[in-house]
Amino acid sequence: MLRTVKRSTLPLILVVLVALLACKAKPRITTETTPVDDQLMVRIDVSPASAGTARLHGQAAFEGVGAIEVASDGTARALVPLADVPMGKHTITVTFTGPGKGLASTSEGKTTFTFDRTPIVPTLVLKPVAQPGATTLTCKGDLCAEGTSLAITSEAKLSVDLTSCDGCTVEVLGQKFAVTGDSTPALVDLIPVVGAAPVSELASLGYLKVPLKVRTKEGGVADSSADLLGSVIGAVVFNRVALGPLTFPGDGPAADSPTSAIVVRRDVGYGVVTLVGDARVGSDIDLVGLAKASEHSLGSCGVYEHSNTKERVNVAHKGLSYQVTLVDRRTGKTRGQRSFRPVNQGCHGQLVAGVKTVYSRPAASEIDTWARTFFR
C-alpha cells in the first residue's frame, strides 16, 4: 500500500529546516586597532550582538591578554602592551564564543587582522645648561644641533637639558634619566664613559662618543651618542684625582707595580699631554700626572709675510714649562714631582695665517722617561 504526503505540509517542513540552520549561523566578527602610547587598543564587534568571550592568538603579547569579556551589545576592547612585540607584521586571529540559539548550544566566530609594528625613532635633543666655572665643548652628532656647546663641570658631570622626547628614558652606562615634558635638566657622570674609552681616543684630537640609549614610551629604542673632544673629556675626568682617589666602575685595589700613566693639563681645555705604558682603556690607568703650565717669553720668531696679502707680522715666541705632580689614581697619594722646561722648537719656516704667537713645550719623551721610573 502506498503512503502519500499531503502537499500542504512540505512548505512548513522547509521553513522549519531553514530556521534551524539560521540558528547555527556563525556571528560576524570585525576589529579596529588604535595605537595608545606604548600599547595597541583592539576593538572587537560581534554581529548579531551577543555577550561572550573573545581571545587573541598569533603572538605572545596578544595571547597574554587572556579572555576578553564581550558585552551584550557585542563590543569589547583590549589593550595589548607592545614592549615585547617584535618589529614587523603580525597576523592576529580573533576567536569569539558565546551562547547559541535554537539547536546550537554555543555560537562561535573567527576573524584575523594584521598589525604592523614599525620602529619608533626617538627624537631626543641635547641642549646646553650653563654651569659656573665649567668647561664648554662643541657637541657633534644627531643629538646636538649644529654649533651646540655643552658644559662639563669640575666634578666631570655633563650638564644637559634633555628635550623633545617626553616620556623617554635615557641611559648612559648604567645611569638612567626620565624625560618629563620638554625640559629635563640632567647631570651625566662622565667618569664611567672615560673608564670604558680606549686610551687612544682620550689622547687624540678626535671626538669621543658618549653613548646614549634612548627608549620611548611607545617602546622604540635607539642607540646614539653625543660626540665630544676626547682629550678634553679625559683631562676633566683625570683632574678629579686632585680632589682625592678617582675610581672607575669595577675598579680593583691600587697596583703594587704600576704599568701605565697619563699626564693631563690642569687647565683642562688643553687636554692630555702624554700617555705612558700599556693601558688599553681609561680604567687601566694607574698613575695620573697633573701638569701645571707656566708661560714665559722666549723672544721673537721674527717677521713673517702673508703669501697673498703680503701683510707682515712679528710673531712672538713663548715657552710653556710644566710642574708635574704624579698621583696614584686609586689612592690619591702623591708619588713624585718634577718641573719640565720647554724644548725650543716652536719657530718654523712657515706658519698658518693669523698666527701671532707660537709656543714651545716640554718634550713628551722626557716626561715619559720620568713617569716610567715609577713603574716597579
Side-chain angles (χ1 to χ4, degrees):
M1 181 177 176
L2 295 175
R3 297 180 62 188
T4 61
V5 177
K6 293 181 180 180
R7 287 181 176 273
S8 61
T9 62
L10 290 175
L12 179 60
I13 294 172
L14 291 174
V15 170
V16 172
L17 287 174
V18 171
L20 291 174
L21 289 174
C23 290
K24 293 184 179 181
K26 292 183 177 180
R28 182 170 176 265
I29 313 297
T30 58
T31 59
E32 180 182 330
T33 59
T34 307
V36 180
D37 292 334
D38 56 349
Q39 302 176 97
L40 185 71
M41 171 72 78
V42 180
R43 176 189 168 100
I44 301 170
D45 288 280
V46 179
S47 180
S50 173
T53 301
R55 291 182 181 273
L56 306 176
H57 309 272
Q59 203 282 329
F62 287 82
E63 293 170 359
V65 173
I68 305 166
E69 182 179 349
V70 179
S72 58
D73 64 356
T75 64
R77 288 177 175 81
L79 280 172
V80 182
L82 298 181
D84 296 324
V85 178
M87 298 297 172
K89 288 188 176 181
H90 303 273
T91 299
I92 306 301
T93 300
V94 183
T95 60
F96 167 78
T97 303
K101 295 180 181 179
L103 297 179
S105 60
T106 59
S107 175
E108 296 179 350
K110 179 186 294 186
T111 191
T112 62
F113 67 87
T114 300
F115 166 61
D116 188 4
R117 188 181 181 203
T118 56
I120 300 171
V121 180
T123 55
L124 180 70
V125 176
L126 302 182
K127 293 185 177 181
V129 176
Q131 294 287 343
T135 300
T136 57
L137 282 180
T138 298
C139 175
K140 292 187 176 182
D142 295 338
L143 300 182
C144 300
E146 185 175 354
T148 298
S149 291
L150 300 180
I152 305 176
T153 70
S154 59
E155 291 79 23
K157 302 290 181 67
L158 181 66
S159 180
V160 293
D161 192 3
L162 307 175
T163 73
S164 303
C165 202
D166 184 24
C168 288
T169 300
V170 179
E171 300 178 21
V172 187
L173 295 182
Q175 306 167 74
K176 290 187 178 182
F177 305 91
V179 182
T180 304
D182 197 48
S183 180
T184 303
L187 289 172
V188 181
D189 191 354
L190 293 177
I191 291 176
V193 176
V194 168
V199 293
S200 58
E201 295 186 18
L202 297 176
S204 76
L205 296 178
Y207 281 75
L208 175 68
K209 294 184 179 298
V210 178
L212 288 86
K213 182 183 289 291
V214 186
R215 301 177 185 273
T216 68
K217 60 184 178 182
E218 297 85 7
V221 180
D223 291 309
S224 193
S225 66
D227 302 347
L228 303 170
L229 280 172
S231 182
V232 176
I233 295 177
V236 172
V237 169
F238 282 104
N239 261 283
R240 282 278 288 101
V241 80
L243 304 177
L246 170 63
T247 58
F248 293 109
D251 244 353
D256 293 331
S257 300
T259 61
S260 59
I262 189 170
V263 179
V264 297
R265 289 275 293 267
R266 290 290 284 141
D267 41 351
V268 295
Y270 291 94
V272 174
V273 175
T274 188
L275 280 166
V276 190
D278 59 3
R280 296 176 300 103
V281 295
S283 60
D284 291 337
I285 297 290
D286 297 317
L287 305 177
V288 179
L290 303 175
K292 183 178 180 181
S294 58
E295 180 182 304
H296 51 276
S297 175
L298 295 177
S300 171
C301 285
V303 177
Y304 289 74
E305 183 179 273
H306 194 288
S307 57
N308 293 328
T309 66
K310 305 306 179 182
E311 178 187 4
R312 295 169 65 83
V313 179
N314 190 343
V315 177
H317 185 197
K318 295 186 177 182
L320 290 177
S321 295
Y322 292 156
Q323 177 72 28
V324 180
T325 301
L326 197 64
V327 178
D328 188 299
R329 175 179 67 80
R330 297 175 181 85
T331 65
K333 293 181 178 179
T334 298
R335 292 292 191 97
Q337 286 184 328
R338 181 175 165 180
S339 295
F340 295 90
R341 299 283 297 173
V343 177
N344 195 344
Q345 295 178 342
C347 299
H348 301 283
Q350 291 184 331
L351 296 177
V352 176
V355 172
K356 296 182 178 180
T357 305
V358 296
Y359 290 89
S360 289
R361 296 171 175 79
S365 58
E366 186 179 356
I367 300 173
D368 290 2
T369 299
W370 172 70
R372 287 181 184 275
T373 63
F374 295 88
F375 294 179
R376 300 184 181 89

